[in-house]
Amino acid sequence: MIITSTDEAHAELARLFAQSHRMTGFTGAGISTECGVPDFRSPGSPWMKHRPIDFSLFIADPLAREEAWRRKFTMDDMYAGARPGRGHRALASLVASGKMGAVITQNIDGLHQAAGTPADKVIELHGNGTYAKCLECGQRHELADVRQEFERTGAAPECECGGVVKSATISFGQAMPEEEMRRAHEETLTCDLFIAIGSSLVVYPAAGFPILAKRNGATLVIVNREETQLDDAADLVLRGDIGSILSPFAASQ
Ligand code: NAD
């Protein structure tokens, strides 16, 4: 069933949330657009401006690393200060109520945690762009320090151990994080309601989770303003603006 009326969407979600014993949230870039962070595939996306620097190139080529950091800091400046939106706040409330076990997210912006969802309830499949990590020893590096060093030397910074420092995101060509994938499977297989919000559902393996939930017997709900790849598989498609659809479930902050 596809619902395009916001009032009907509110009523249907309220009914499903009341019925569910355990839900899993799944989010993509669309939940953050009302916060000023553009999504990946909508027209004019700044993320599509350059050919992505894949993981092997980042490792192999110091010039590619420098370019990756330049791009990263330019994007960070554009979206610095983004605050969580109504969708993030609704999911934080559902997690706080105990009904939603966790939020699986493809996003790297940290806005679920900023909205109050405890970090251990946010499963970041593609990492987190608000800090950096050494690829050798795993040490965390703060972006402000990395940037200061980069601007001082003009070179991509290294860890004290000599390892390559990279934004803590998962790049094209980089292995998916094992523990996050394991936990995402677990949350997907233990829920009776799986709600996918703001994703075109074309990026795999992430987009495999809604399908897995459905095959496992959960009710699959998709909230997005345009068609997604998995609409045909969903029990319910709520087509419209995420913030408007989820606002009744968002606690004010
Ligand atoms: P996507 O860009 O492919 O899809 C986003 C979907 O959200 C689109 O179908 C769009 O129509 C919809 N949308 C946008 N704003 C909406 C709104 N206000 N209401 C309803 N629908 C809305 O994004 P994806 O599926 O998440 O895949 C993109 C990849 O890029 C992900 O892997 C993610 O890691 C990365 N990314 C992350 C961020 C972020 O962290 N905020 C931003 C851009 C890209």
Side-chain angles (χ1 to χ4, degrees):
M1 179 167 59
I2 299 177
I3 291 181
T4 53
S5 139
T6 309
D7 287 342
E8 274 179 52
H10 293 164
E12 201 56 28
L13 279 183
R15 188 181 66 76
L16 288 170
F17 289 170
Q19 266 175 9
S20 168
H21 296 290
R22 188 176 174 95
M23 347 176 179
T24 296
F26 175 92
T27 63
I31 198 171
S32 297
T33 56
E34 77 169 9
C35 315
V37 185
D39 65 21
F40 199 67
R41 284 180 185 75
S42 291
S45 161
W47 310 97
M48 296 285 225
K49 216 166 121 195
H50 304 286
R51 199 162 149 239
I53 295 170
D54 76 16
F55 187 61
S56 53
L57 186 62
F58 185 91
I59 300 295
D61 182 356
L63 292 179
R65 285 206 283 285
E66 287 165 21
E67 175 60 13
W69 282 114
R70 261 191 299 277
R71 289 184 193 175
K72 162 81 181 142
F73 295 135
T74 304
M75 292 300 275
D76 282 1
D77 285 348
M78 286 167 89
Y79 312 118
R83 301 297 308 141
R86 291 167 291 176
H88 300 102
R89 295 208 309 274
L91 293 184
S93 297
L94 290 166
V95 170
S97 76
K99 278 225 163 178
M100 183 169 279
V103 179
I104 303 169
T105 189
Q106 302 172 83
N107 295 346
I108 56 166
D109 54 27
L111 290 175
H112 286 298
Q113 295 90 324
T117 303
D120 65 350
K121 303 277 186 195
V122 183
I123 303 173
E124 294 175 315
L125 295 178
H126 298 161
N128 187 310
T130 66
Y131 61 95
K133 255 181 165 170
C134 170
L135 293 174
E136 204 64 47
C137 71
Q139 191 189 315
R140 177 178 167 132
H141 292 255
E142 299 310 323
L143 291 179
D145 300 335
V146 173
R147 188 169 190 162
Q148 206 178 28
E149 184 67 6
F150 182 56
E151 284 171 358
R152 194 177 65 79
T153 64
E158 287 184 353
C159 184
E160 293 90 68
C161 78
V164 167
V165 174
K166 182 180 171 293
S167 154
T169 50
I170 304 296
S171 298
F172 289 105
Q174 190 171 358
M176 293 295 283
E178 273 175 34
E179 178 58 11
E180 280 77 4
M181 286 297 285
R182 188 195 64 70
R183 288 181 58 214
H185 269 102
E186 193 174 291
E187 293 296 336
T188 299
L189 293 175
T190 49
C191 69
D192 56 25
L193 176 63
F194 189 101
I195 177 163
I197 302 164
S199 175
S200 54
L201 300 173
V202 296
V203 178
Y204 282 80
F209 290 109
I211 301 170
L212 181 63
K214 174 70 189 158
R215 287 203 184 123
N216 193 49
T219 300
L220 175 59
V221 178
I222 293 178
V223 184
N224 209 55
R225 69 181 170 204
E226 51 183 31
E227 250 179 73
T228 79
Q229 291 281 311
L230 302 182
D231 285 1
D232 289 346
D235 296 284
L236 176 64
V237 174
L238 303 177
R239 197 156 297 153
D241 175 59
I242 292 163
S244 311
I245 290 173
L246 292 179
S247 60
F249 310 98
S252 54
Q253 270 192 334

